[in-house]
Amino acid sequence: MNWRHYAILFVVGWSVPFAISRFQSLPGYMDADYYFAGGLQLAQGHGFTEPYIWNYLDNPAGLPHPSHTYWMPLASMMSALGMWITGQTTYASGRLAFILLSACVPLLTAALAFRVSRQVRLAMVSGLLSIFSLYYAPFMPVPDNYALFMLLGAAFLLLAPFEQKWIPLALGALAGLLTLARSDGLLWLGLAGLTVMWKSNFKSDGTKSNFLEWFTRIVPAGLLVLLGYLLTMGFWHVRNLNLFGSLLTPGGGRLLWLQNYNQTFIYPPESLTRESFLQAGWELALQNRARAFSANFSNAFGAQGAIFLFPFIFIGLWQLRRDLRTKIAVTGWLILFAVMTIIFPFAGSRGSFFHAGAAFQPYWWIAAPIGLDAVLAWARSHGQFKDKNAPYFLQGVLVLLAIFMTAYLVDFSVISSGWAKDDFIYPAVEEMFLDNGIKPGEVVIVRNPPGYYIAAGRPSISLPFGDESTIRAVAEKYNARYLVIEKGGTFDAIQDLYDDPQSNPSFIYLGEVDEAKLYRIELAR
């Protein structure tokens, strides 16, 4: 690989997410809304606080609320970086860093691929596959963790086999950054420890270490891993200790006891306990995990495996089975699959497995062309594809398929269907509130609080999972006088309130905007 190869990958790798971003005037979904809104708070000097609440798992005391008590802060910090560089707080500035990070993904993927295969052709194919990434492509330009996870995961795998004494420190630091991006990035701290253990089994000459040699190598290396982790993640643990008295934020443990996804928005959160989980019965728990297994496996085949790449990835991994990087990637992915299926089935099947799996994607894109080469070698041994240009032709077909399928999926999910179409109603909703004399500082209950804050600058809290009495309880605690119920953003227990807006005298109907119904909540005096 030379600089020309990397220049081509960078230009194409920048052009594709930039082109996609032209059709995305808003972040588009709550995760990205949250990260961008967090970036706005940082850029405007408000620090790690937020004038919105999107779930009640940590039992927030009120507004403003300490930020990133569920999602982690790195994506918001990167969004704020774009705003600081440009001096503007626009969405274009907030996503600037993510487009540039996306352009770097093919560079690191190709560098890792060349390190693995020592073939420029295969490295270039891997780099191009990372650009035309099918289901991941629409999300690369938005403020989220996809590009961050791909870059950090690829960097981890690139450095892992090296023997320099600083490598454990670097692996720990990368694990810390992965955790700072997403809480499931903590898996990579365990993978850093496993890497140290595997490497300590053998001496530099390739002979197996005895126990004393293994122990004397693993202890200092393990301490370096922890030191590296604390260098990048330690400040966040200190912040949590100061605010909550624990290394991790409160509320996350309650996810263990979910019986359905909507309970993520439950209020009060104390009702989500081990006892309530057991009372619901093991049959329901097993059914939920069976559904999560099906959803996560479909994700592995369709999104992470890109459908047509899946068999070649599998064959390529078999060809690379003795490589330390393969052990790390496959072990980590299997652990992630198990955790997102058994322990966190609702988060996993609703996007966390897709998100967290992005860190392993560069290695799958590396394995796929190697697998295709292995299939070609087998075919040639049986008298097929004897032409010397066959490898270039077949690898080209692989890339062309990726291009066409990526174009189709981007058109389907971004261009034709309309990106962020649900959030486009919020400016009109806010205009109606203002027309009714409602002051900008008054709190509203809404489906997507960070999205509403981006659109209107109004403090907002999440529509809680429960009935109308639950909404009143939330409204009284957080002094929220107004409610928005969207057609596709309601729960069964309050469907009657949406269908018959004047059915409950505690909710004064104000009107409708684009099928969103607005209410004033009569609070107790």
Side-chain angles (χ1 to χ4, degrees):
M1 295 284 290
N2 59 44
W3 69 268
R4 293 180 181 84
H5 297 117
Y6 290 114
I8 292 169
L9 290 174
F10 181 82
V11 171
V12 181
W14 173 83
S15 300
V16 172
F18 179 78
I20 294 170
S21 73
R22 300 303 89 193
F23 301 94
Q24 298 169 321
S25 57
L26 289 174
Y29 54 100
M30 192 189 293
D31 307 42
D33 286 330
Y34 184 88
Y35 292 128
F36 173 62
L40 276 174
Q41 288 292 101
L42 290 171
Q44 292 170 350
H46 302 304
F48 289 108
T49 63
E50 54 196 26
Y52 41 83
I53 297 171
W54 81 268
N55 73 63
Y56 304 97
L57 293 173
D58 64 333
N59 199 14
L63 294 175
H65 173 246
S67 70
H68 301 89
T69 59
Y70 182 94
W71 286 316
M72 298 296 281
L74 186 56
S76 290
M77 294 162 69
M78 296 305 301
S79 187
L81 178 63
M83 299 181 209
W84 288 329
I85 290 173
T86 61
Q88 299 177 336
T89 55
T90 61
Y91 179 53
S93 297
R95 69 184 174 194
L96 175 64
F98 298 92
I99 295 175
L100 293 175
L101 288 170
S102 298
C104 294
V105 169
L107 306 186
L108 208 52
T109 300
L112 178 57
F114 186 72
R115 176 67 61 174
V116 170
S117 68
R118 295 295 177 182
Q119 293 191 50
V120 172
R121 169 176 57 86
L122 296 180
M124 288 296 290
V125 172
S126 296
L128 290 170
L129 291 177
S130 73
I131 297 170
F132 302 101
S133 53
L134 278 72
Y135 290 92
Y136 281 104
F139 302 99
M140 296 299 283
V142 303
D144 206 329
N145 290 301
Y146 295 103
L148 281 167
F149 249 45
M150 289 174 188
L151 287 171
L152 294 171
F156 188 103
L157 294 173
L158 183 65
L159 294 177
F162 287 94
E163 295 294 337
Q164 287 89 340
K165 292 183 179 180
W166 54 268
I167 291 296
L169 183 72
L171 297 183
L174 289 168
L177 288 172
L178 283 153
T179 310
L180 195 63
R182 289 183 56 86
S183 55
D184 43 46
L186 193 60
L187 165 66
W188 289 83
L189 180 60
L191 292 178
L194 279 176
T195 302
V196 166
M197 292 176 63
W198 284 330
K199 291 172 68 175
S200 298
N201 284 331
F202 297 93
K203 295 184 285 189
S204 56
D205 60 4
T207 59
K208 192 169 180 62
S209 303
N210 58 41
F211 177 78
L212 183 60
E213 291 169 331
W214 178 83
F215 187 78
T216 54
R217 291 185 68 190
I218 198 172
V219 170
L223 291 173
L224 283 175
V225 166
L226 287 175
L227 176 60
Y229 173 83
L230 291 175
L231 286 174
T232 52
M233 184 63 189
F235 83 97
W236 196 251
H237 287 311
V238 171
R239 178 254 196 183
N240 291 339
L241 278 171
N242 290 334
L243 284 177
F244 312 114
S246 60
L247 291 173
L248 301 176
T249 53
R254 291 190 171 104
L255 292 173
L256 295 170
W257 314 123
L258 294 180
Q259 294 123 55
N260 61 69
Y261 174 76
N262 288 336
Q263 286 182 328
T264 305
F265 308 95
I266 199 167
Y267 182 87
E270 293 83 5
S271 60
L272 204 58
T273 63
R274 183 170 66 90
E275 289 71 25
S276 67
F277 176 84
L278 294 175
Q279 188 176 5
W282 286 105
E283 182 178 355
L284 176 62
L286 292 173
Q287 288 175 354
N288 288 332
R289 280 146 184 82
R291 294 189 192 100
F293 178 89
S294 176
N296 290 340
F297 184 80
S298 297
N299 184 302
F301 176 75
Q304 298 175 3
I307 307 172
F308 66 95
L309 291 181
F310 188 84
F312 301 119
I313 293 172
F314 191 86
I315 295 168
L317 291 174
W318 178 255
Q319 297 294 313
L320 299 170
R321 62 190 179 278
R322 293 183 179 85
D323 194 306
L324 174 65
R325 301 176 184 92
T326 304
K327 294 181 181 179
I328 297 169
V330 172
T331 300
W333 186 89
L334 289 172
I335 293 172
L336 179 67
F337 186 92
V339 168
M340 292 298 179
T341 300
I342 300 170
I343 301 177
F344 301 113
F346 300 108
S349 60
R350 293 290 292 250
S352 288
F353 181 60
F354 179 66
H355 273 82
F360 301 102
Q361 280 302 128
Y363 206 68
W364 308 156
W365 290 319
I366 290 164
I370 292 174
L372 180 57
D373 259 17
V375 171
L376 178 60
W378 178 87
R380 282 180 159 177
S381 69
H382 289 74
Q384 305 295 319
F385 296 104
K386 291 292 187 179
D387 190 288
K388 66 178 181 179
N389 293 317
Y392 297 94
F393 173 76
L394 293 176
Q395 301 286 6
V397 170
L398 207 66
V399 172
L400 284 174
L401 277 172
I403 292 172
F404 288 133
M405 290 190 69
T406 298
Y408 170 77
L409 290 169
V410 168
D411 177 69
F412 177 78
S413 62
V414 178
I415 302 173
S416 298
S417 61
W419 185 258
K421 58 183 179 182
D422 292 338
D423 292 352
F424 277 118
I425 69 170
Y426 288 153
V429 169
E430 178 64 12
E431 184 178 354
M432 187 170 185
F433 276 141
L434 295 174
D435 289 343
N436 278 269
I438 298 164
K439 297 178 181 178
E442 298 194 67
V443 181
V444 63
I445 300 173
V446 69
R447 170 188 60 85
N448 180 354
Y452 195 92
Y453 174 75
I454 291 169
R458 179 183 294 276
S460 52
I461 62 175
S462 181
L463 181 68
F465 175 64
D467 57 16
E468 292 161 28
S469 65
T470 306
I471 297 176
R472 281 185 53 83
V474 166
E476 288 177 1
K477 178 169 182 178
Y478 300 105
N479 194 30
R481 297 290 307 276
Y482 300 94
L483 169 68
V484 178
I485 306 180
E486 298 168 53
K487 182 178 182 181
T490 185
F491 299 117
D492 291 342
I494 59 169
Q495 187 62 45
D496 288 345
L497 181 61
Y498 180 87
D499 294 336
D500 186 2
Q502 302 187 26
S503 61
N504 189 325
S506 295
F507 296 86
I508 308 302
Y509 182 56
L510 299 178
E512 179 178 332
V513 179
D514 292 333
E515 297 186 293
K517 297 183 179 180
L518 284 58
Y519 307 79
R520 184 175 71 249
I521 305 171
E522 292 295 303
L523 300 181
R525 299 299 180 185

